[in-house]
């Protein structure tokens, strides 16, 4: 671009600025009496927020003079350097030496209250604090009557945080806050957040007090050491409660280097950081990918704000050219601008010399529409109806997901930021881009930390039924293998967990009761196996939900079955068979006697006997000529029909349905005959048989393998065996060809499966003990 062209581009701006100044000067030259006011400012020149506040306050003084020529304002600014002692000395110097009437600065109520005990002038001077959020100790109103805070109360910030945590249903969080400006002295901030989290069924599991950058020699090492401590713990939800932008930039840079900005991690920032994200370069945003937070929402579309934004960018860019690209004003600049106007308007009301009490009263009574919203104080704190934008850092900037307010909670936002429109409700936030990349399911909030050892999961190594748990040792590879149905179920559950669960299966060579007690004594972290729930075990451990239903059963041998050749005779009783034969012969004889004289077909005893046989099958060939014989035969034919149908049904049932007659019908028979019974020697059944069913201990045979039961039955070593139902089904499925249920017993081809429901206070199932 040529110099001549540059001149003509800049010339209109210069002319416009000069014309404005001449016009203001001409108007103000008519004023003969001007009121002089002195405003002091103590801000941190080295921080981004401090730079914005400095520029905004200078603009406010210039703008107020142009709008009210009767007021001549003098702005005296001091650099705090971010140090509390410097804040105190600068404030004292402004009040005592430079005779300012009011002060705007970044001092907190705790700092001001402490230093006012030394310098009483500080207590009697109206001070507007720009520190965000506003914290009001209980004694502040009495100790500092002229101390006002130009920010929303801390309660609103903590309430918004709690609602975010509650939305994602995180149960534990870790709080981080910077040791600065008296926050560490006021420990109530953590207590307040803790109280808010209880409402959403959450809690603070840990908190970390970070030193400010100016208070340590090597802040990088300090932050790195603190992050190592946090990484060693299982919680993965980190809330940066209070922090300067500079500390936050270093914090996320180190977290990114230490791989704490990856999957399963969650970082939440508050308004103090989120409201300055428009003012940071791309490298900072890159380190904060996936961070969520909230920032104060204010009107950005009005003409007044647009004019202010344009002038602010020009002035900020000229003062700090290295930051010209990121010179948009934040909420902190707007509040500094409005705070200056509040004091100027309060001074103008006096029309002359004014006392601190009058000036403070005028400030408290001020109500006007500022750039940050409606400016009004109540109980010495800015009283606005704020709303916060819920943001998600992604890409080169951030997206607005929703808007939160204390009255309506999360709601719709019509405002667009970088082309993205906020969603309408809690359920419609859209995909959240968490640390680690693409949007996915919401992080659970915790993980196994680097310092945690794998869980020791005990498994029964001496169970009688290795179909459920089988422990083998491979001597060639010198390793133990654990398999079985229960192990398969456990591994399937672990695979469905949304996080990695390191564990090691530890064979336990003892009884099930001893394994349960090892979990209680912390010898084992948990136990997996075919372990039954019992009332007395609940005093030691908790159980998972049962995944196999069960019950206690008794298995006995069956009696030898009757030959199928005799089934036909057993269809009816002997008396019934004899009665039917006698009646049949009698009816045949009676019909023969009636028909013999008149019917040539009925001659001889042989004919009568043949008639009696054929009539059973309704195949008789002899015609009946007498009505009397027909009258005698008709009812008998109905009887024959019914008898044949009943016989056929009974015979079919007897030939197709197997019947079982157990060798032992009930427990009382076993006890009365002192019969030996068998069971798994490592299970609860042994003590149950002795303590509840009152079997003699010498009659209980401990059988530790499923393969030993058939031989024990065949040799008479046991007359009955007791199993939990899953074990019984495994045994019967292995050694019987099949069985079908028939009432309380089962057909088993050699064994009888007698199921009963004893009255005892325990539930029996296969479980994972935790």
């Amino acid at each position: 671009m040529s110099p001549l062209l540059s001149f003509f581009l800049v010339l209109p701006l210069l002319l416009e600025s000069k014309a404005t100044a001449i016009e203001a000067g001409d108007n103000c030259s008519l004023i003969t009496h001007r009121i002089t006011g002195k405003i002091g400012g103590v801000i941190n020149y080295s921080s981004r927020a401090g730079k914005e506040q400095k520029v905004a306050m200078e603009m406010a003084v210039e703008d107020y003079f142009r709008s009210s020529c009767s007021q001549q304002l003098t702005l005296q600014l001091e650099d705090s350097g971010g140090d509390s002692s410097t804040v105190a000395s600068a404030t004292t110097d402004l009040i005592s030496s430079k005779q300012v009437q009011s002060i705007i600065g970044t001092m907190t109520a705790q700092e001001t209250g402490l230093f006012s005990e030394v310098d009483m002038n500080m207590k009697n001077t109206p001070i507007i604090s720009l520190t965000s959020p506003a914290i009001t100790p209980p004694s502040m109103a009495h100790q500092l009557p002229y101390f006002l805070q130009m920010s929303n109360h801390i309660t609103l910030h903590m309430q918004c945080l709690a609602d975010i945590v509650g939305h994602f249903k995180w149960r534990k969080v870790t709080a981080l806050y910077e040791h600065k400006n008296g926050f560490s002295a006021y420990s109530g901030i953590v207590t307040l957040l803790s109280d808010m989290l209880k409402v959403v069924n959450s809690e603070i599991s840990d908190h970390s007090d970070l030193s400010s950058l100016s208070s340590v020699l090597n802040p990088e090492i300090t932050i790195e050491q603190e992050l190592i401590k946090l990484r060693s713990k299982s919680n993965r939800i980190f809330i940066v409660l209070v922090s300067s932008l500079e500390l936050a930039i270093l914090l996320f840079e180190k977290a990114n280097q230490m791989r704490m900005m990856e999957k399963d991690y969650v970082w939440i920032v508050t308004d103090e950081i989120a409201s300055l994200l428009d003012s940071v370069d791309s490298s900072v945003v890159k380190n904060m990918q996936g961070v969520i937070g909230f920032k104060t929402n204010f009107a950005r579309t009005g003409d007044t704000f647009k004019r202010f934004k344009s002038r602010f960018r020009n002035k900020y860019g000229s003062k700090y050219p290295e930051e010209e690209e990121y010179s948009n004003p934040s909420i902190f600049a707007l509040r500094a601008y409005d705070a200056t106007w509040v004091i100027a308007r309060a001074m103008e009301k006096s029309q002359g010399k004014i006392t601190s009490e009058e000036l403070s009263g005028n400030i408290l009574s001020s109500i006007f529409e500022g750039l940050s919203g409606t400016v009004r104080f109540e109980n010495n704190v800015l009283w606005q109806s704020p709303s916060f934008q819920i943001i998600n850092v992604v890409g080169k900037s951030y997206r607005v997901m929703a808007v939160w307010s204390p009255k309506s909670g999360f709601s719709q936002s019509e405002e667009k930021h970088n082309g993205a429109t906020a969603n309408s409700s809690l359920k419609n936030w859209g995909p959240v881009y968490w640390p680690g990349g693409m949007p996915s399911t919401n992080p659970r909030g915790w993980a196994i930390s680097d310092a945690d050892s794998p869980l020791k999961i005990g498994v029964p190594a001496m169970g009688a039924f290795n179909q459920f748990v089988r422990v083998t040792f491979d001597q060639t590879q010198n390793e133990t293998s654990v398999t079985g149905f229960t192990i398969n179920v456990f591994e399937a559950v672990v695979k469905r967990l949304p996080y990695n669960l390191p564990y090691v299966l530890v064979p336990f060579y003892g009884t099930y009761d001893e394994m349960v007690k090892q979990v209680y004594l912390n010898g084992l972290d948990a136990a997996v196996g075919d372990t039954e729930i019992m009332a007395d075990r609940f005093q030691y451990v908790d159980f998972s939900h049962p995944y196999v239903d069960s019950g206690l059963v008794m298995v006995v041998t069956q009696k030898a079955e009757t030959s199928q050749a005799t089934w036909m005779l057993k269809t009816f009783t002997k008396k019934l068979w004899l009665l039917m034969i006698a009646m049949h012969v009698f009816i045949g004889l009676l019909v023969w006697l009636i028909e013999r004289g008149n019917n040539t077909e009925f001659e001889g005893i042989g004919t009568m006997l043949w008639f009696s046989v054929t009539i059973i099958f309704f195949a008789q060939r002899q015609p009946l000529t007498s009505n009397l014989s027909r009258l005698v035969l008709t009812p008998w034919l109905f009887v024959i029909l019914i008898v044949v149908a009943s016989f056929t049904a009974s015979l079919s049932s007897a030939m197709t349905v197997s019947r079982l007659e157990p060798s032992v019908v009930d427990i009382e028979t076993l006890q009365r005959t002192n019969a030996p019974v068998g069971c798994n020697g490592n299970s609860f059944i042994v003590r149950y048989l002795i303590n509840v069913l009152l079997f003699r201990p010498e009659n209980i045979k401990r059988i530790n393998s499923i393969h030993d039961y058939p031989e024990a039955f065949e040799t008479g070593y046991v007359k009955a065996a007791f199993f939990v139902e899953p074990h019984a089904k495994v045994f019967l499925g292995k050694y019987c060809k099949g069985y079908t249920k028939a009432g309380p017993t089962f057909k088993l081809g050699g064994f009888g499966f007698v199921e009963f429901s004893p009255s005892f206070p325990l539930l029996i199932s296969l479980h994972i003990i935790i």
Side-chain angles (χ1 to χ4, degrees):
M1 184 178 292
S2 66
L4 183 60
L5 180 60
S6 299
F7 172 78
F8 281 109
L9 288 176
V10 175
L11 182 59
L13 296 177
L14 295 176
L15 292 176
E16 180 181 357
S17 176
K18 183 66 174 176
T20 303
I22 292 174
E23 180 180 356
D26 291 342
N27 293 335
C28 293
S29 63
L30 302 177
I31 305 298
T32 59
H33 177 71
R34 293 178 181 175
I35 302 172
T36 302
K38 291 184 179 181
I39 301 176
V42 182
I43 53 180
N44 185 4
Y45 287 4
S46 61
S47 70
R48 170 68 195 204
K51 294 175 183 178
E52 291 189 14
Q53 290 163 348
K54 181 177 184 294
V55 172
M57 291 169 67
E58 291 172 349
M59 290 176 60
V61 170
E62 295 173 1
D63 293 347
Y64 193 84
F65 176 72
R66 289 173 182 170
S67 66
S68 177
C69 296
S70 62
Q71 180 82 350
Q72 179 66 51
L73 292 179
T74 302
L75 182 64
Q76 301 284 341
L77 295 178
E78 297 286 346
D79 182 14
S80 69
D83 182 69
S84 297
S85 59
T86 305
V87 171
S89 60
T91 303
T92 302
D93 181 64
L94 288 172
I95 296 173
S96 302
S97 302
K98 299 183 179 180
Q99 302 293 313
V100 298
Q101 297 166 283
S102 182
I103 293 178
I104 303 173
T106 55
M107 62 285 294
T108 66
Q110 292 80 15
E111 292 173 332
T112 307
L114 177 63
F115 297 130
S116 66
E117 298 295 330
V118 179
D119 186 356
M120 293 300 295
N121 292 326
M122 191 179 299
K123 183 177 182 180
N124 297 322
T125 302
I127 297 176
I128 296 183
S129 172
L130 299 177
T131 302
S132 178
I135 299 178
T136 54
S139 60
M140 189 188 77
H142 173 73
Q143 186 178 5
L144 302 171
Y146 306 139
F147 185 86
L148 296 86
Q149 300 188 74
M150 191 72 177
S151 58
N152 299 123
H153 199 271
I154 183 68
T155 304
L156 300 175
H157 291 238
M158 298 302 104
Q159 186 179 346
C160 182
L161 275 176
D163 283 354
I164 294 175
V165 173
H167 169 61
F168 293 106
K169 299 180 180 179
W170 293 316
R171 295 293 171 256
K172 291 184 178 181
V173 302
T174 298
L176 295 84
Y177 56 94
E178 183 178 357
H179 183 107
K180 66 159 190 174
N181 294 340
F183 274 113
S184 59
Y186 182 50
S187 59
I189 186 172
V190 177
T191 303
L192 180 60
L193 177 60
S194 179
D195 293 339
M196 293 291 184
L197 290 175
K198 289 178 182 178
V199 179
V200 296
N201 196 25
S202 183
E203 63 179 343
I204 298 176
S205 63
D206 195 14
H207 59 88
S208 175
D209 186 353
L210 303 174
S211 300
S212 62
L213 298 182
S214 60
S215 63
V216 292
L217 295 177
N218 196 329
E220 292 189 6
I221 295 179
T222 302
I223 291 178
E224 185 175 342
Q225 291 174 346
E226 196 64 34
L227 289 177
I228 291 175
K229 295 178 184 178
L230 297 176
R231 189 177 60 182
S232 67
K233 299 175 182 179
S234 59
N235 187 263
R236 291 292 182 264
I237 310 298
F238 301 111
I239 299 178
V240 185
L241 279 179
V242 179
S243 170
S244 63
L245 178 64
E246 292 70 29
L247 176 62
I249 290 174
L250 183 58
L251 175 67
F252 284 108
E253 179 183 349
K254 284 298 177 182
N256 200 32
Q257 293 174 1
M258 297 173 61
R259 305 184 67 178
M260 294 178 68
M261 297 296 296
E262 297 184 354
K263 186 179 179 181
D264 295 332
Y265 284 89
V266 175
W267 290 85
I268 306 174
V269 296
T270 57
D271 184 45
E272 191 174 12
I273 300 171
S275 286
L276 293 173
L277 288 179
D278 291 315
S279 308
V280 297
D281 58 35
S282 57
S283 63
V284 176
V285 176
K286 183 179 179 181
N287 288 331
M288 295 179 65
Q289 291 294 298
V291 172
I292 62 175
F294 63 91
K295 57 178 295 187
T296 301
N297 191 23
F298 58 88
R300 297 176 174 85
T301 57
D303 293 338
T304 303
F305 175 77
K306 290 180 179 179
R307 287 193 297 269
F308 172 81
K309 178 180 177 181
S310 177
R311 294 173 53 236
F312 181 89
R313 287 177 58 89
N314 291 334
K315 187 159 187 171
Y316 191 92
S318 63
K319 280 184 172 291
Y320 310 102
E322 70 280 1
E323 301 180 24
E324 183 178 5
E325 184 179 356
Y326 310 99
S327 56
N328 289 322
S330 68
I331 185 64
F332 307 114
L334 304 186
R335 286 174 178 166
Y337 184 92
D338 289 344
T340 307
W341 269 75
V342 167
I343 296 176
R345 289 165 61 95
M347 289 179 176
E348 187 178 9
K349 288 182 181 180
S350 65
Q351 296 295 325
K353 192 173 182 180
I354 187 172
T355 65
S356 297
E357 184 178 357
E358 292 174 338
L359 180 59
S360 178
N362 290 342
I363 294 175
L364 289 174
S365 62
S366 297
I367 300 178
F368 71 96
E369 289 296 326
L371 293 174
S372 62
T374 303
V375 177
R376 179 169 66 93
F377 290 93
E378 186 168 323
N379 296 325
N380 289 24
V381 176
L382 181 65
W383 192 259
Q384 293 179 334
S385 180
S387 62
F388 296 122
Q389 292 179 332
I390 309 302
I391 66 168
N392 180 204
V393 180
V394 57
K396 297 181 179 180
S397 184
Y398 58 86
R399 58 184 288 266
V400 180
M401 299 185 292
V403 171
W404 180 92
S405 65
K407 292 184 178 180
S408 57
F410 297 101
S411 59
Q412 185 176 8
S413 171
E414 298 296 336
E415 183 175 352
K416 295 184 178 180
H417 183 85
N418 293 340
T421 303
N423 294 295
S424 60
S425 68
L426 269 171
K427 296 182 180 179
N428 296 321
W429 280 21
V432 181
Y433 290 79
W434 300 108
M438 295 299 292
S440 60
T441 56
N442 297 333
R444 186 180 181 88
W446 65 276
I448 302 299
S449 66
D450 297 341
D452 292 335
S453 302
L455 296 178
K456 293 188 295 182
I457 310 294
V459 294
M462 300 175 63
F465 291 82
N466 53 27
Q467 289 81 2
F468 293 92
V469 179
R470 181 183 181 88
V471 178
T472 57
F473 180 74
D474 188 347
Q475 294 183 349
T476 59
Q477 298 185 3
N478 193 27
E479 63 180 20
T480 301
S481 175
V482 183
T483 58
F485 173 73
T486 302
I487 304 302
N488 293 339
V489 173
F490 174 72
E491 291 176 345
V493 171
V494 171
K495 288 180 180 179
R496 293 181 65 87
L497 295 176
Y499 53 87
N500 180 44
L501 180 67
Y503 66 90
V504 58
L505 298 176
V506 180
F508 184 80
Y509 295 89
T511 66
Y512 287 84
D513 287 336
E514 292 171 344
M515 184 175 67
V516 169
K517 290 184 178 179
Q518 278 300 307
V519 176
Y520 172 74
L521 297 173
N522 296 324
L524 297 170
D525 296 311
V528 174
D530 47 347
T531 310
E532 299 81 14
I533 291 181
M534 298 176 63
D536 58 348
R537 288 177 177 173
F538 270 106
Q539 61 182 318
Y540 300 109
V541 295
D542 292 327
F543 290 85
S544 71
H545 188 76
Y547 58 90
V548 174
D549 293 330
S550 183
L552 190 61
V553 298
M554 180 176 70
V555 174
V556 298
T557 57
Q558 69 179 75
K559 287 183 179 180
E561 296 181 358
T562 307
S563 174
Q564 293 184 2
T566 63
W567 286 355
M568 183 172 58
L569 296 177
K570 288 187 174 182
T571 304
F572 300 124
T573 63
K574 290 181 179 181
K575 290 183 178 180
L576 184 58
W577 279 113
L578 293 175
L579 178 62
M580 286 191 297
I581 293 173
M583 287 296 298
H584 197 65
V585 173
F586 173 73
I587 295 297
L589 179 61
L590 186 59
V591 172
W592 179 73
L593 291 174
I594 296 173
E595 293 287 336
R596 186 182 61 169
N598 301 323
N599 192 341
T600 58
E601 297 290 337
F602 283 86
E603 294 182 356
I605 299 299
T607 302
M608 184 270 294
L609 295 176
W610 181 247
F611 176 78
S612 301
V613 173
T614 57
I615 199 173
I616 299 175
F617 306 101
F618 302 97
Q620 70 277 5
R621 295 181 179 274
Q622 296 84 351
L624 300 178
T625 59
S626 173
N627 289 330
L628 182 59
S629 60
R630 291 190 184 100
L631 181 62
V632 172
L633 186 59
T634 298
W636 184 244
L637 289 175
F638 280 105
V639 173
I640 291 175
L641 180 63
I642 295 172
V643 170
V644 170
S646 300
F647 180 79
T648 303
S650 299
L651 186 59
S652 299
S653 177
M655 295 182 67
T656 57
V657 179
S658 300
R659 297 184 177 226
L660 170 67
E661 291 188 27
S663 58
V664 179
V665 179
D666 52 32
I667 294 177
E668 288 73 14
T669 302
L670 293 172
Q671 294 173 326
R672 186 175 62 254
T673 59
N674 285 327
V677 297
C679 67
N680 183 358
N682 292 319
S683 74
F684 78 98
I685 302 178
V686 175
R687 55 188 175 90
Y688 176 75
L689 294 178
I690 296 174
N691 300 331
V692 180
L693 298 183
L694 303 179
F695 277 88
R696 294 181 179 180
E698 60 271 17
N699 290 337
I700 300 175
K701 308 302 180 183
R702 301 170 187 264
I703 301 177
N704 296 323
S705 174
I706 184 177
H707 308 291
D708 296 336
Y709 282 98
E711 183 180 355
F713 276 113
E714 291 173 3
T715 60
Y717 184 66
V718 295
K719 296 298 183 182
F722 288 87
F723 301 99
V724 290
E725 185 175 340
H727 290 179
K729 290 181 178 180
V730 171
F731 169 67
L732 298 172
K734 184 176 180 64
Y735 292 102
C736 302
K737 295 181 180 180
Y739 59 89
T740 56
K741 189 166 183 178
T745 61
F746 296 80
K747 174 66 179 178
L748 303 169
F751 294 98
F753 184 16
V754 181
E755 186 178 27
F756 68 99
S757 300
S759 176
F760 56 96
L762 52 85
L763 301 172
I764 305 173
S765 247
L766 301 186
H767 281 72
I768 300 172
I769 304 175
I770 56 176

